Amino acid sequence: MDLPLLWAFLIAFAVIAYVVLDGFDLGTGILFPFLGRHENRDTAMNSVAPIWDGNETWLVLGGGGLFAVFPLAYAVIMPAVYAPVIAMLLALIFRGVAFEYRFKTVRGRWLWDVSFFGGSVVAAFCQGLILGTLVQGVRVVDRTYAGGWYDWLTPFSLATGCALVVGYALLGACWLVMKTEGEIQDIARHYALFLAAATLAAIAGVSAWMPFIQPQFYARWFALPQFFTVFWVPILVAVAAVSLFQSLIAGRHYRPFLSALALFVLSYVGLGINFYPHIIPPDITIWQAAAPDASLWFLLVGAAILIPTILIYTGFSYWIFRGKISADEGYHH
C-alpha cells in the first residue's frame, strides 16, 4: 500500500471538506451587512449557528494531519505563511465570539455584526493568500524554507485571496437561498446571480494565470497527450456554471447550492492535477515530505476511527437542522 499517497488523499479530503462546509459559513458572514433588516441578519446567523463549529473540525484535521503525516511540508509551509495563518485564526476567533455575544445584547449588536463580517472577510482572504502562496511556489534550500517574510504578498496571491472571498460569498448566497424564504431569500438570490458571474470570472482569470507560474502547470494542461486526460475538468465546470445560472433564474432552492459546490470541487480537482506529485511545488514531492511508514500506519488506525466519526457527526447535525430557517426560530431562540 502506498501510504504517503493515501495520506495525501485523506489530507486533501479534509481540506476540501472544510472549504465546501465552512465556505458557505464564511460566505454568509461576508454577505452579512448587505442583507437588509436586522431580522434578516438574525435569520442568516441562525442558519449556520448550529453547524459552524463542526465545519471547522475539518480545518483542525487538515492542519493537524499535515503536521503529523507530512512534517517536512509543515515545516516548510508554515514559515512561508505565518502572517496570513495567524490573521486567519484571529479572524475565526472573532467570528466565533460574535456567534454567541451578538444575541446577548441590543446596544452593542453593531459591534458583533462588524466582528462577524470582518472576521469572515479576513479569514476567507487569508485562506486565498495561503493558497496563492502554495501555487506560486515556495523557495526551499536543503529541505528548509529559504524565502522572505513577505513572499506570500504577491499580485497572484492577492488575486487568489479576492477570488476566494467572492467564491465564498457565492456559497453563502446559495446557502441562504436554500435555507431561507421570503425577503432574505430574494436578496440572496439577487446577490447570487452577480456573484456567480464574478466567481466564474475569477476562476477563469486564476486558471489562465496559473499555467504561466510553474512550467509543470502549463505542461499538465496544454501538452499532448496529457491534455486528453484533463480536458473534462473545464467541461464539467461549464456544465456546473450553466446549472447554477439556470437554477437561480428558475427559482430553485437546492440546485444553486449544489451547483456552486460543484464549481468549488472541480476547481479543487484542477488544483490537485497541477500539484501532483508535489505537495510543495516545484521541489518537494508527497513521498519526500512523508513521515516514516511506521508512523503513517499508527496514525492511519486513528484516522480510521476519527474520520468516520466526524462524518457521522456532521451528517447527523445537518439532518437535525435540515429545512428552512424563519426569523422567529433557530439555534438562539
Side-chain angles (χ1 to χ4, degrees), residues 148-165:
W149 284 105
Y150 300 102
D151 283 10
W152 53 268
L153 190 60
T154 65
F156 180 76
S157 67
L158 291 173
T160 54
C162 293
L164 202 59
V165 170

Side-chain angles (χ1 to χ4, degrees), residues 14-130:
V15 172
I16 190 59
Y18 170 76
V19 168
V20 299
L21 293 177
D22 208 41
F24 68 78
D25 178 0
L26 292 170
T28 301
I30 294 168
L31 292 175
F32 209 60
F34 311 106
L35 297 176
R37 299 178 297 115
H38 78 268
E39 291 86 359
N40 290 343
R41 294 193 289 273
D42 288 348
T43 303
M45 185 171 272
N46 272 318
S47 74
V48 296
I51 53 177
W52 72 273
D53 47 354
N55 293 340
E56 293 186 354
T57 303
W58 296 103
L59 178 63
V60 176
L61 179 62
L66 184 68
F67 173 76
V69 178
F70 298 107
L72 175 60
Y74 186 90
V76 171
I77 291 171
M78 284 304 296
V81 293
Y82 269 141
V85 166
I86 291 172
M88 178 191 71
L89 294 176
L90 290 174
L92 292 175
I93 290 171
F94 273 96
R95 289 184 78 253
V97 173
F99 268 108
E100 300 302 328
Y101 280 79
R102 183 180 181 276
F103 289 92
K104 305 299 183 183
T105 180
V106 174
R107 184 174 59 182
R109 179 178 291 170
W110 67 272
L111 178 64
W112 301 114
D113 284 354
V114 171
S115 177
F116 188 57
F117 167 69
S120 299
V121 172
V122 171
F125 184 70
C126 288
Q127 289 175 20
L129 286 178
I130 295 167

Side-chain angles (χ1 to χ4, degrees), residues 14-303:
V15 172
I16 190 59
Y18 170 76
V19 168
V20 299
L21 293 177
D22 208 41
F24 68 78
D25 178 0
L26 292 170
T28 301
I30 294 168
L31 292 175
F32 209 60
F34 311 106
L35 297 176
R37 299 178 297 115
H38 78 268
E39 291 86 359
N40 290 343
R41 294 193 289 273
D42 288 348
T43 303
M45 185 171 272
N46 272 318
S47 74
V48 296
I51 53 177
W52 72 273
D53 47 354
N55 293 340
E56 293 186 354
T57 303
W58 296 103
L59 178 63
V60 176
L61 179 62
L66 184 68
F67 173 76
V69 178
F70 298 107
L72 175 60
Y74 186 90
V76 171
I77 291 171
M78 284 304 296
V81 293
Y82 269 141
V85 166
I86 291 172
M88 178 191 71
L89 294 176
L90 290 174
L92 292 175
I93 290 171
F94 273 96
R95 289 184 78 253
V97 173
F99 268 108
E100 300 302 328
Y101 280 79
R102 183 180 181 276
F103 289 92
K104 305 299 183 183
T105 180
V106 174
R107 184 174 59 182
R109 179 178 291 170
W110 67 272
L111 178 64
W112 301 114
D113 284 354
V114 171
S115 177
F116 188 57
F117 167 69
S120 299
V121 172
V122 171
F125 184 70
C126 288
Q127 289 175 20
L129 286 178
I130 295 167
L131 173 63
T133 302
L134 294 178
V135 170
Q136 69 192 14
V138 176
R139 284 190 288 169
V140 179
V141 176
D142 295 330
R143 296 164 60 89
T144 304
Y145 175 64
W149 284 105
Y150 300 102
D151 283 10
W152 53 268
L153 190 60
T154 65
F156 180 76
S157 67
L158 291 173
T160 54
C162 293
L164 202 59
V165 170
V166 172
Y168 279 174
L170 171 64
L171 285 178
C174 292
W175 169 259
L176 292 176
V177 168
M178 181 176 70
K179 292 292 290 183
T180 63
E181 50 193 359
E183 179 187 7
I184 184 174
Q185 187 188 56
D186 294 337
I187 294 172
R189 192 183 304 278
H190 171 76
Y191 284 130
L193 284 167
F194 291 99
L195 289 167
T199 299
L200 289 171
I203 291 173
V206 171
S207 299
W209 194 341
M210 204 177 295
F212 300 97
I213 292 179
Q214 300 274 1
Q216 72 180 55
F217 295 169
Y218 186 92
R220 288 289 165 84
W221 293 97
F222 297 107
L224 294 176
Q226 179 69 22
F227 169 79
F228 295 106
T229 65
V230 298
F231 76 96
W232 55 271
V233 176
I235 291 176
L236 289 180
V237 168
V239 171
V242 171
S243 174
L244 177 58
F245 280 108
Q246 282 183 340
S247 57
L248 285 171
I249 293 171
R252 301 289 182 85
H253 291 203
Y254 292 92
R255 208 172 90 189
F257 183 65
L258 297 176
S259 300
L261 288 182
L263 285 177
F264 267 77
V265 171
L266 289 168
S267 298
Y268 191 71
V269 169
L271 192 64
I273 291 172
N274 279 337
F275 270 54
Y276 183 81
H278 295 94
I279 194 168
I280 305 177
D283 299 310
I284 299 178
T285 67
I286 294 169
W287 297 271
Q288 290 171 334
D293 279 0
S295 298
L296 298 183
W297 274 114
F298 177 78
L299 293 166
L300 189 62
V301 174

